[in-house]
Amino acid sequence: MPLVLRMDLIKEINKLKKEKNAIILTHCYQNIEIDEVSDFVGDSLYLSKMAAKTNADIIVFAGVYFMAQSAKLLSPDKKVLLPNMSSGCLMADMINTSDLEQFKKKYPNIPIVCYINSTAEIKAKCDICCTSSNAVDVVRSLNVPKVLFVPDTYLGKYVEKKLGNVEVITYNGFCPTHLRIRKEDILNARKNYPDAPILIHPECHLEVVKLADFCGSTKEIMEYAKNSKEKRFIIATEKGVADRLSRDSKKENWNKEFILINDNIICPNMKKNTLDNIYQTLLDEKNEITLDETIAKKAKECIEKMLQINLKN
Ligand code: 13P
Ligand code: SF4
């Protein structure tokens, strides 16, 4: 988009936000230009907390469907809008309620944890929610020898490995974007940039995570990179993280370099939101998230249990 038009659009969005008492919450996998109209940019835990706190009348969620749904669960009186209604999370869509019932039947009487990357219907049938920032703490807080974990098998197994004393029985969901990071990518990065620590997301394959230097959520990866004394980093998660770190390094003179581990680590659904569709969505107040009341009540409890635990985040 030509620069003048883009600047006009940014101005118009900011004007509409004021007129309508709206805020924009943006996940750090979004197209980076969206940050220019955003009130809060971060990972899913941070954005859930911001959604629960805000006094705005409208929340535009620049993220994927389950994130906007979580914002609506936590702020039921607000209008929550998603710029592109087809921006679902492929992992969240790998489990439906009948899959969940079968999974629970196979392993009866075991507490069940769901990753926030799941629909409200799934959350409504689980005991407690977690994000990638707090999954280890949430499972530990249950203080039981065994838990069920849906839908991400890799995050679940990562938690099991970190805790060492809890068996985590996982559903077989996965993130197709993070699974595109292969062992060879790590080996190539080591060969080409031997000085650069490799920072990886726990949705990646465990065999690949083992080879990296630091594993953490989006936010943890960004904080690690910012606070580290190293000057060059390999980013093994979605491209938006590398883009934001590179931008901030330039803006704030960190003199650090961030290299995306492989050019395909892009979540296509995360990239469906643009300044254009954010503008149209806010202008027309369209694409509103609605929820069945009974499901919403239960799903909210599942998220609130997570938010109530006294976690380090
Ligand atoms: P975070 O919890 O790190 O924000 O990750 C969300 C996500 O969708 C990762 O693929
Ligand atoms: Fe879902 Fe993976 Fe995209 Fe995250 S990166 S929103 S887990 S498909």
Side-chain angles (χ1 to χ4, degrees):
M1 192 188 308
L3 191 62
V4 177
L5 285 183
R6 196 167 148 265
M7 294 311 287
D8 283 350
L9 198 51
I10 290 171
K11 251 194 227 153
E12 286 306 311
I13 295 172
N14 285 330
K15 204 168 111 199
L16 274 180
K17 274 184 8 184
K18 261 198 200 135
E19 282 167 17
K20 294 179 183 252
N21 189 27
I23 58 164
I24 300 182
L25 301 184
T26 300
H27 191 269
C28 29
Y29 292 174
Q30 293 284 295
N31 291 307
I32 196 165
E33 61 178 13
I34 295 175
D35 288 12
E36 296 183 49
V37 294
S38 302
D39 297 273
F40 301 101
V41 180
D43 68 355
S44 35
L45 180 61
Y46 174 71
L47 296 177
S48 311
K49 286 181 178 168
M50 294 305 117
K53 263 193 206 165
T54 184
N55 290 321
D57 295 315
I58 299 179
I59 298 172
V60 178
F61 210 112
V64 287
Y65 196 89
F66 79 81
M67 294 180 177
Q69 225 184 20
S70 303
K72 180 69 185 175
L73 289 170
L74 293 166
S75 282
D77 303 333
K78 315 235 167 345
K79 211 177 232 188
V80 178
L81 311 175
L82 182 66
N84 185 316
M85 289 301 252
S86 70
S87 54
C89 163
L90 297 175
M91 178 205 288
D93 293 338
M94 284 177 188
I95 186 166
N96 61 31
T97 48
S98 73
D99 300 326
L100 182 70
E101 289 310 334
Q102 274 179 28
F103 185 59
K104 285 193 200 177
K105 234 188 227 159
K106 196 168 165 197
Y107 304 101
N109 306 318
I110 302 177
I112 180 156
V113 180
C114 70
Y115 190 19
I116 197 157
N117 294 39
S118 55
T119 60
E121 287 77 7
I122 296 296
K123 289 185 178 87
K125 290 175 179 287
C126 289
D127 295 307
I128 188 165
C129 190
C130 73
T131 73
S132 55
S133 304
N134 63 21
V136 173
D137 295 322
V138 165
V139 173
R140 186 191 289 116
S141 78
L142 296 176
N143 206 11
V144 290
K146 253 186 215 182
V147 296
L148 303 183
F149 193 96
V150 297
D152 189 10
T153 190
Y154 295 101
L155 180 62
K157 285 297 165 191
Y158 173 76
V159 170
E160 180 176 76
K161 194 162 169 271
K162 278 298 247 192
L163 287 174
N165 60 353
V166 182
E167 185 185 350
V168 181
I169 304 167
T170 61
Y171 186 75
N172 57 6
F174 58 89
C175 166
T177 300
H178 283 90
L179 286 199
R180 269 185 235 131
I181 302 174
R182 327 285 307 183
K183 263 186 177 178
E184 305 80 73
D185 293 317
I186 305 271
L187 300 176
N188 286 338
R190 286 256 184 256
K191 199 167 83 199
N192 297 333
Y193 306 100
D195 58 315
I198 299 174
L199 317 183
I200 200 162
H201 195 279
E203 285 174 15
C204 293
H205 199 292
L206 266 189
E207 290 304 309
V208 181
V209 170
K210 257 193 221 160
L211 302 174
D213 298 295
F214 174 80
C215 179
S217 70
T218 310
K219 175 180 145 226
E220 287 164 340
I221 288 178
M222 292 178 95
E223 277 173 2
Y224 182 99
K226 188 175 174 185
N227 298 330
S228 163
K229 289 195 176 69
E230 304 294 339
K231 287 292 176 198
R232 186 144 68 168
F233 303 83
I234 306 295
I235 301 300
T237 185
E238 215 274 347
K239 180 175 181 291
V241 172
D243 290 345
R244 283 173 175 78
L245 284 167
S246 302
R247 175 202 60 197
D248 293 348
S249 174
K250 269 193 209 115
K251 241 184 23 197
E252 297 170 18
N253 296 318
W254 305 345
N255 295 318
K256 292 183 180 179
E257 189 185 354
F258 299 96
I259 301 155
L260 186 64
I261 188 136
N262 116 23
D263 290 343
N264 295 322
I265 313 306
I266 295 174
C267 174
N269 283 353
M270 279 280 185
K271 305 303 191 207
K272 286 182 178 171
N273 297 323
T274 61
L275 287 175
D276 273 307
N277 60 20
I278 287 176
Y279 173 72
Q280 272 312 318
T281 303
L282 189 52
L283 182 70
D284 302 338
E285 296 184 28
K286 62 179 183 179
N287 296 352
E288 186 173 354
I289 305 288
T290 53
L291 286 160
D292 171 275
E293 255 179 56
T294 321
I295 291 174
K297 186 173 172 289
K298 292 223 160 101
K300 187 180 183 196
E301 283 168 16
C302 179
I303 301 187
E304 277 179 341
K305 268 190 221 149
M306 165 185 85
L307 294 175
Q308 279 157 16
I309 294 176
N310 192 17
L311 302 165
K312 65 176 162 60
N313 301 292

